[in-house]
Amino acid sequence: MITAIVYGDGETTEYDDLASARAAAGTTWIHATEVTDAELDAIADEFDIHGLAIDDLGNDVRAKTEEFPDHTFVLLKTATLARGETTFREEVATSPVGIFLGDDWIVSVTTGAAPVVERVRRAVASGDERLLHRGADFTAYRIIDVVVDDYFDLLDRIEDEIEAIEEDVLETPDRATLERINSVRRELLSFRKQVWPAREAVGVLARGDPDEVDPDTEKYFRDVYDHLVQIADLTETYRDLVSGARDIYLNALSQSTNEVMKTLTVVATIFIPLTFVAGVYGMNFDPAASPYNMPELGWGYGYPAVLVVMALIAVAMAAHFRRRGYI
Amino acid sequence: MITAIVYGDGETTEYDDLASARAAAGTTWIHATEVTDAELDAIADEFDIHGLAIDDLGNDVRAKTEEFPDHTFVLLKTATLARGETTFREEVATSPVGIFLGDDWIVSVTTGAAPVVERVRRAVASGDERLLHRGADFTAYRIIDVVVDDYFDLLDRIEDEIEAIEEDVLETPDRATLERINSVRRELLSFRKQVWPAREAVGVLARGDPDEVDPDTEKYFRDVYDHLVQIADLTETYRDLVSGARDIYLNALSQSTNEVMKTLTVVATIFIPLTFVAGVYGMNFDPAASPYNMPELGWGYGYPAVLVVMALIAVAMAAHFRRRGYI
Amino acid sequence: MITAIVYGDGETTEYDDLASARAAAGTTWIHATEVTDAELDAIADEFDIHGLAIDDLGNDVRAKTEEFPDHTFVLLKTATLARGETTFREEVATSPVGIFLGDDWIVSVTTGAAPVVERVRRAVASGDERLLHRGADFTAYRIIDVVVDDYFDLLDRIEDEIEAIEEDVLETPDRATLERINSVRRELLSFRKQVWPAREAVGVLARGDPDEVDPDTEKYFRDVYDHLVQIADLTETYRDLVSGARDIYLNALSQSTNEVMKTLTVVATIFIPLTFVAGVYGMNFDPAASPYNMPELGWGYGYPAVLVVMALIAVAMAAHFRRRGYI
Amino acid sequence: MITAIVYGDGETTEYDDLASARAAAGTTWIHATEVTDAELDAIADEFDIHGLAIDDLGNDVRAKTEEFPDHTFVLLKTATLARGETTFREEVATSPVGIFLGDDWIVSVTTGAAPVVERVRRAVASGDERLLHRGADFTAYRIIDVVVDDYFDLLDRIEDEIEAIEEDVLETPDRATLERINSVRRELLSFRKQVWPAREAVGVLARGDPDEVDPDTEKYFRDVYDHLVQIADLTETYRDLVSGARDIYLNALSQSTNEVMKTLTVVATIFIPLTFVAGVYGMNFDPAASPYNMPELGWGYGYPAVLVVMALIAVAMAAHFRRRGYI
Amino acid sequence: MITAIVYGDGETTEYDDLASARAAAGTTWIHATEVTDAELDAIADEFDIHGLAIDDLGNDVRAKTEEFPDHTFVLLKTATLARGETTFREEVATSPVGIFLGDDWIVSVTTGAAPVVERVRRAVASGDERLLHRGADFTAYRIIDVVVDDYFDLLDRIEDEIEAIEEDVLETPDRATLERINSVRRELLSFRKQVWPAREAVGVLARGDPDEVDPDTEKYFRDVYDHLVQIADLTETYRDLVSGARDIYLNALSQSTNEVMKTLTVVATIFIPLTFVAGVYGMNFDPAASPYNMPELGWGYGYPAVLVVMALIAVAMAAHFRRRGYI
């Protein structure tokens, strides 16, 4: 679906025809969503857009800014988290937003529905002062700005997940925690793959390299660029946090093994010697055969004495373990 | 085997003789596969190709672009996974593709059979419009493009393997999983060794440094360059994924040890005290010698009482372990 | 709250009105703390300050230096540790300090109370010689200097915590130690996020890029820049120290598990064989049925002999364990 | 020992005297091996060589290229593996090769015997066409080339060792394996210390910075530079391989501990309950005192029944362990 | 204490007065050790030295080279290991050496006693030819050279410690080893903090940026710079070695745990089944009650048969364990 708007001097007119929209005085904005190949070709013809740029929209290409003789092509990606049964490639779902920026015209193309770009279009339609009085480059800035702002939402969701994992890891660490940790790690890897090229792409605009970017608008692109730097920073920092959480998780496991071992050790080392003592007096040496054969069995206080000895051994061992912090 | 084609104005002619092919009007493409040293020398003589470049084709040299006074030499490598009984060097099998790019001629040389280059040759032979109407540099772009596209296939195979490992590691982690992890890690290391120089080599063409590259063709090389950047990125990301899988594997092992220990601890700490109690009443102190010697043995409910005590101990221990999450 | 001071030739005058303060001869310093939006707008109007810069003060933007046609905007952050129940974002609490630096005027804006800036203002009010005889850029230097000096205090607190952890980890390592380690790690990550952009921002001033910075003042900014480099260095070094502490902690845990195992092994392997021997002589084979059935039981020195054998076994095992360093 | 050769127009003449060798027409090559300080001084005087450069030959200085007003000084190191009882510094034994390159003269100095340089000298002596018809810079290239080619031999030996370790680690991992791993790691660290400066040093020549390097010879130096880049790459990759081998080794240890634990757990948890049951029926409660006291002992099928119960317990436990993959 | 020397044409004169020393023909060297603030001010006044530079001497500032209009300020740090009860900051004790280099004068300032600088002063006093015939920049080089040479001594001590640790870790790894490892790690971190800025500072001189450095002297600074690069390299390499030692240490611990477990497993799994068998024949089933009740007890060869069975079990188990490499 193609919409053509021309605005200037605070007024907005909609056109049906690309050619007359382009010819009209003022800034021409062609916005094409869920576009067909035929529509793309029509736009490309009208605005002399290079075939490679059109191809890039269809293929899974990294964000970039490319300067052509009479226009500049900016390719960005919207990013949404696609949790659940996904492969790595699908972890962060992206959808291309192509912006072709000419002197007094701008063409924006999205292959899917792009609610974020729609927001800017509505701002123009409803007569947003700032947009109507500035050129095509400012409109490009607004579109790029909303796309990048969406990245913050995605990061917020990731941060929430990390906070949840950090609690989880301290309270109930289990196998599922590790899988959550790994899943966030993959999301961050996948997202970072989008952010770095986007940063470079916007950096070109922020430096004002393309002729189509007015020096007054550069500041705005610099602002978006600062946001992307911050996003890239946060991505790295979150990776660090995630690996911190993983360390705590792995440590909890070692700690658990250590405690299990302590339990076993305490119980076994207390009772094994006692059992041995009991075993000794369970031997069947014949006291009748010789006075040296287990005379204890015939003593009057033999049994209580053995019980007391056992109790002393047990208490001594327990005290020893308490001193070493096992119990 | 050497094929010589000259094309221009939409027509294609095959030649038998290098000299007349070069002299003919239009773009001359000499394509040599499974070339002998004698054939190489003949080509080198005809097109004034530097001896060092010829040497590079035979030796295991990194991809590169080198500018010579009257032509540019691009050396790329096709890459195929060579799984199985391989040493590190053989993990990713490579085969050189040399491209010598002159004003109106291009010489492509492969030491083995190169099906990917063959595809481009057939496109020319069958009269591909785009190829026939552009110069030698565009043909070079097409050859480089198919070589690089093949890298994606290799990465796809690696990604499939990583996905398989990630499932494996969650379901049936064993020693073989670790060997698969290490094998993919080696493949990625080996592949990365090819990609980084290739990126630099194509980068030289994308910047349009060599005179033989027409400004109109630069965009196409930039496109290939973007692909190589993406491939390099993916390689790094896959390495991260692989080390993530390894962490989960190692964790699964610790988890397993932890669970084994828990089993042992639960069984041992429940039965060892019970065995001790049974041992006590297995002692042979003589009740006849004194009323203090194991009077329990003569009590009417002695045996049931001991059994009940044992049962209570066992239940108490089991409850304790359940509370601590061991069972 | 807005304060307007004009100073020059060693004298300081306070003004109520922004316009007349600006018009007055000498250096004008407008200092606004806990500022309202209306106050901000008034200042922005008077000094032609760009809307984006004003926006940056309200949003959570990284430190930066931005040059505008007739003034330079420096955004810094004060940083305080916010220990306790915090999420990652809140670990290091920051508050923006905006400095707009013109030819002969400086506007400083803080959204909260800023005791550090207050210190500089008092120095001016009390007639600090150095400040009064130099221009607005020197005042900017002094403000930036006190903000950066505060970073050292924060780092000192972090270093104290690391020293405490290092002792803790050697003496009483437990779960709380790991949480402290992780908390310091997060603080350093969070702090580093502030320091790197601040370094870049001050670097611009140290290079003397903005026209408003006098060549004589560059040296002072270079001094602050050196401090920030040192702070960034320390941050990295502290991260290394923290991970060293974590390694020792994890090692202490392994060591503990190792010692627990040794205890168990020593006790169990000494007594299990002895218990077996006792068990053998507790068997009920009938000596009456055959002379081969446990004749030892009827021997005169059977019992003492078994005790001696047991003692020898125990001593041999203990000696073996001592040799291997278990006890 | 000093040899002086002058060659030009395909002829080679040996000289005894440095001064006349220098004065002679053609390219003068002074080659000094196992040189004494006096000989060095004589050469330095004749060719105006800077004292610092001479000092660098004696001290353990990194490879470098330094340009002096009328000559260029290239310092390289031959490298050999010195396995066995070595400290870290001695792991890779190096020996300096100094090359002083003037307009039409070259002085090569080695403090030890340098068989690799000898190879080039013999090529000249035996009238190698390429060497005789090109200038001093080409001779320098040949010397540098043979030194660098030797690095590949060293890397091949390291690779062989890594392959051996990788097999070792999968088949018979023990403490010696870890020491081999660490030894290769140290060799790679030590070797890398040589390669990086060498790469920089040759890079200066490859860029053709020194006047003494003819543009035609640059290509050859670029070739050597490419080799050094490849060597540096391989060094990094080998380090990765070694750390992969170490991971597998450490994992093998964990796996071993895990299996040991499983064995213990299976045997202990099967027999400990059985021993308990046997212990119960070994108790001496007096059946005569009451009908509740161990009536099982007097039952006709008591013993077989207990044996059957024990067998059932054992089978059930074994089945349980088999299901969990322990046996 | 201030010493003022003026030298030139091979002669050296000592002066008491700064002003006349400066005025005298030849190179003036003012050397101030353990200097008071008043002395510093006197020097600063005489040579127009900037206040910030003086401040840097007193504070803990990183090494640097700063160019002032009429002189260059070089700040270096001597470094000594301060082993024992230190916090991180004190691990490597540093002391500032400030060098102010003018056209024909040099001022060197140290806050403590600086034996290394003293060495250079004595060389001048005793009429060192090289020093007396060259300018102030050469004297600066000599001072910097001795300071940097001292770094090698420090590194040698660290290397000795690493060698000792590497032996320790293979022979008697214990907790103290880990603390030594961590201590060296901290020393290296602390030292690296000194080396990197020193490298940058000397790099400025090696590039000959300051006017006060004669082109002939640049080579000497380049030499010092090469030393610092080598020192920085060694620092990194030593960190790698230390972490290698730590890995071996940790591995030794795992190995120990593994061996402890093997011992326990071998003993327990051999004797537990045997004890069970003994337990069975210790049961008190009444053979009189039924012919099925433990008829073995009445057999003529019952006891020897059981002993033989036990022996066979033990031998089989031992063989099994030997095959698996446990014993």
Side-chain angles (χ1 to χ4, degrees), chain D residues 4-9 11-13 15 21-30 47 101-107 124 131-140:
Chain D
I5 325 179
V6 177
Y7 48 91
D9 294 323
E11 265 178 49
T12 311
T13 331
Y15 281 77
R22 181 163 194 192
T27 304
T28 308
W29 179 12
I30 311 296
F47 292 90
L101 181 62
D103 267 351
D104 62 347
W105 56 268
I106 171 168
V107 171
V124 171
L131 277 163
L132 295 185
H133 283 96
R134 291 177 181 254
D137 54 348
F138 192 78
T139 305

Side-chain angles (χ1 to χ4, degrees), chain D residues 261-297:
Chain D
M261 291 306 310
K262 277 183 183 162
T263 309
L264 176 59
T265 299
V266 166
V267 171
T269 56
I270 287 178
F271 282 101
I272 284 177
L274 300 187
T275 304
F276 164 68
V277 171
V280 165
Y281 292 105
M283 293 194 297
N284 293 322
F285 285 97
D286 189 0
S290 132
Y292 304 115
N293 272 358
M294 311 190 81
E296 306 93 324
L297 299 178

Side-chain angles (χ1 to χ4, degrees), chain A residues 152 163 184 205 251 295:
Chain A
F152 279 108
E163 299 276 351
V184 172
L205 301 169
N251 174 259

Side-chain angles (χ1 to χ4, degrees), chain B residues 35 37 40-41 44 49-68 71-78 94-100 109-112 194 197 201, chain D residues 130 141 145 149 152 218-228 230:
Chain B
V35 80
D37 283 358
L40 261 183
D41 287 348
I49 288 170
H50 199 283
L52 275 178
I54 295 292
D55 289 357
D56 286 342
L57 282 169
N59 305 331
D60 183 25
V61 171
R62 293 155 49 102
K64 64 174 169 184
T65 294
E66 202 155 351
E67 291 172 61
F68 288 90
H71 67 269
T72 295
F73 170 49
V74 184
L75 177 65
L76 281 182
K77 301 297 192 71
T78 63
T94 63
S95 170
V97 174
I99 297 167
F100 300 90
V109 180
T110 62
T111 56
Q194 306 303 328
Chain D
R130 288 234 309 232
Y141 150 71
D145 193 41
D149 269 0
F152 279 108
E218 274 176 40
K219 291 227 170 325
Y220 293 95
F221 283 118
R222 219 135 65 207
D223 210 58
V224 181
Y225 181 73
D226 281 352
H227 289 167
L228 280 166
Q230 199 176 349

Side-chain angles (χ1 to χ4, degrees), chain A residues 101-292:
Chain A
L101 180 62
D103 267 351
D104 62 348
W105 54 269
I106 171 169
V107 172
S108 59
V109 180
T110 62
T111 55
V116 290
V117 183
E118 197 56 24
R119 262 189 266 157
V120 182
R121 213 189 53 77
R122 270 202 301 275
V124 170
S126 64
D128 179 306
E129 281 297 307
R130 290 234 309 234
L131 279 163
L132 295 185
H133 284 96
R134 291 176 179 256
D137 54 347
F138 192 78
T139 305
Y141 150 69
R142 285 291 286 271
I143 296 173
I144 293 169
D145 193 42
V146 293
V147 168
V148 169
D149 269 0
D150 250 36
Y151 289 175
F152 279 108
D153 294 351
L154 188 149
L155 273 184
D156 279 348
R157 282 187 60 198
I158 288 181
E159 192 185 334
D160 290 348
E161 176 73 2
I162 293 176
E163 299 276 351
I165 286 171
E166 291 199 329
E167 271 180 32
D168 213 28
V169 102
L170 288 176
E171 281 156 29
T172 55
D174 58 11
R175 187 63 168 273
T177 314
L178 188 66
E179 280 174 42
R180 281 175 85 183
I181 287 171
N182 219 46
S183 152
V184 172
R185 231 173 116 260
R186 284 160 57 129
E187 282 165 17
L188 285 168
L189 277 178
S190 198
F191 182 54
R192 190 178 61 154
K193 250 181 35 187
Q194 306 305 327
V195 171
W196 284 85
R199 195 170 87 159
E200 276 176 56
V202 174
V204 172
L205 301 169
R207 280 196 309 275
D209 288 1
D211 297 336
E212 290 83 6
V213 176
D214 194 88
D216 285 350
T217 322
E218 274 176 40
K219 291 229 171 322
Y220 293 96
F221 282 118
R222 220 134 65 206
D223 210 57
V224 181
Y225 181 73
D226 281 352
H227 289 168
L228 279 166
V229 169
Q230 199 176 349
I231 287 167
D233 261 31
L234 279 173
T235 312
E236 294 312 301
T237 305
Y238 287 172
R239 290 183 69 197
D240 253 8
L241 287 181
V242 167
S243 73
R246 204 202 48 193
D247 285 350
I248 295 187
Y249 169 75
L250 291 177
N251 174 259
L253 194 59
S254 297
Q255 196 100 34
S256 157
T257 304
N258 183 267
E259 267 157 35
V260 169
M261 290 306 309
K262 277 184 184 160
T263 308
L264 175 59
T265 300
V266 167
V267 171
T269 56
I270 287 178
F271 283 100
I272 284 177
L274 301 187
T275 303
F276 163 67
V277 172
V280 165
Y281 292 106
M283 293 194 297
N284 294 321
F285 283 96
D286 187 359
S290 131
Y292 304 117

Side-chain angles (χ1 to χ4, degrees), chain C residues 10-296:
Chain C
E11 266 177 47
T12 313
T13 332
E14 256 188 57
Y15 281 76
D16 286 340
D17 174 39
L18 291 179
S20 46
R22 182 163 193 190
T27 304
T28 308
W29 179 10
I30 311 296
H31 178 46
T33 49
E34 296 175 277
V35 80
T36 62
D37 283 359
E39 289 173 332
L40 261 183
D41 286 348
I43 297 173
D45 279 355
E46 184 60 40
F47 291 90
D48 282 320
I49 288 169
H50 199 283
L52 274 179
I54 295 293
D55 290 357
D56 285 343
L57 283 169
N59 305 330
D60 184 25
V61 172
R62 292 156 50 101
K64 64 175 169 183
T65 294
E66 202 156 350
E67 291 172 61
F68 288 89
D70 59 341
H71 66 269
T72 295
F73 171 48
V74 184
L75 177 64
L76 281 183
K77 300 296 193 71
T78 63
T80 16
L81 280 190
R83 284 205 177 126
E85 283 295 323
T86 55
T87 64
F88 168 66
R89 259 181 220 259
E90 304 158 6
E91 206 84 40
V92 167
T94 63
S95 170
V97 174
I99 296 168
F100 300 90
L101 181 62
D103 267 351
D104 61 348
W105 55 268
I106 172 169
V107 172
S108 59
V109 181
T110 62
T111 56
V116 290
V117 183
E118 199 54 25
R119 262 188 266 156
V120 183
R121 213 189 53 78
R122 270 203 299 274
V124 171
S126 64
D128 180 306
E129 281 298 307
R130 289 234 308 234
L131 278 163
L132 295 185
H133 283 96
R134 290 175 181 257
D137 53 348
F138 192 78
T139 305
Y141 150 70
R142 283 291 284 270
I143 296 172
I144 293 169
D145 193 42
V146 292
V147 168
V148 169
D149 269 0
D150 250 36
Y151 290 175
F152 279 108
D153 294 350
L154 188 149
L155 273 183
D156 279 348
R157 284 187 58 198
I158 288 181
E159 192 185 335
D160 290 348
E161 176 73 2
I162 293 176
E163 299 276 351
I165 286 171
E166 290 197 331
E167 271 180 33
D168 211 29
V169 102
L170 288 174
E171 281 156 28
T172 55
D174 58 11
R175 187 64 168 271
T177 313
L178 187 66
E179 280 174 41
R180 282 175 84 184
I181 287 171
N182 219 46
S183 153
V184 172
R185 231 174 115 258
R186 284 161 57 128
E187 283 165 16
L188 285 169
L189 277 177
S190 198
F191 182 54
R192 191 178 61 154
K193 250 181 34 186
Q194 306 304 328
V195 171
W196 284 85
R199 195 169 87 160
E200 275 176 57
V202 174
V204 172
L205 301 169
R207 280 196 310 274
D209 287 2
D211 298 335
E212 290 83 7
V213 175
D214 195 88
D216 284 350
T217 321
E218 273 175 42
K219 291 230 170 323
Y220 293 95
F221 283 119
R222 219 134 66 206
D223 210 59
V224 182
Y225 180 73
D226 280 352
H227 289 169
L228 280 165
V229 168
Q230 200 177 348
I231 286 167
D233 260 31
L234 279 173
T235 311
E236 293 312 301
T237 305
Y238 287 172
R239 289 182 70 197
D240 253 9
L241 287 182
V242 167
S243 73
R246 204 201 48 192
D247 285 350
I248 295 187
Y249 169 75
L250 291 177
N251 174 260
L253 192 59
S254 298
Q255 195 101 35
S256 156
T257 304
N258 182 268
E259 267 157 36
V260 170
M261 291 305 310
K262 278 183 182 161
T263 308
L264 176 60
T265 299
V266 167
V267 172
T269 56
I270 286 178
F271 283 101
I272 284 178
L274 301 186
T275 303
F276 163 67
V277 172
V280 165
Y281 291 106
M283 294 193 296
N284 294 322
F285 283 97
D286 189 359
S290 134
Y292 305 116
N293 272 357
M294 310 189 79
E296 307 92 323

Side-chain angles (χ1 to χ4, degrees), chain D residues 82-213:
Chain D
R83 285 202 178 128
E85 283 296 323
T86 55
T87 64
F88 168 65
R89 259 180 220 259
E90 303 158 7
E91 205 84 40
V92 167
T94 63
S95 169
V97 174
I99 297 167
F100 300 90
L101 181 62
D103 267 351
D104 62 347
W105 56 268
I106 171 168
V107 171
S108 58
V109 180
T110 62
T111 55
V116 290
V117 184
E118 199 55 24
R119 262 188 266 156
V120 183
R121 213 189 53 78
R122 270 202 301 273
V124 171
S126 64
D128 179 306
E129 281 297 307
R130 288 234 309 232
L131 277 163
L132 295 185
H133 283 96
R134 291 177 181 254
D137 54 348
F138 192 78
T139 305
Y141 150 71
R142 283 292 285 269
I143 296 172
I144 293 169
D145 193 41
V146 291
V147 168
V148 169
D149 269 0
D150 250 36
Y151 289 175
F152 279 108
D153 293 351
L154 188 149
L155 273 184
D156 279 349
R157 282 187 58 198
I158 287 181
E159 192 184 334
D160 289 348
E161 176 73 2
I162 293 176
E163 300 275 350
I165 286 171
E166 290 197 330
E167 272 181 31
D168 213 28
V169 103
L170 288 175
E171 281 156 28
T172 55
D174 57 12
R175 187 64 168 270
T177 314
L178 188 65
E179 279 173 43
R180 282 174 84 184
I181 287 172
N182 219 46
S183 153
V184 172
R185 230 175 116 258
R186 284 162 55 129
E187 283 165 17
L188 285 168
L189 277 178
S190 197
F191 182 53
R192 191 179 60 153
K193 250 182 33 186
Q194 306 304 327
V195 171
W196 284 86
R199 195 170 87 159
E200 276 176 56
V202 174
V204 172
L205 302 168
R207 279 196 310 274
D209 287 1
D211 297 337
E212 291 83 8
V213 175

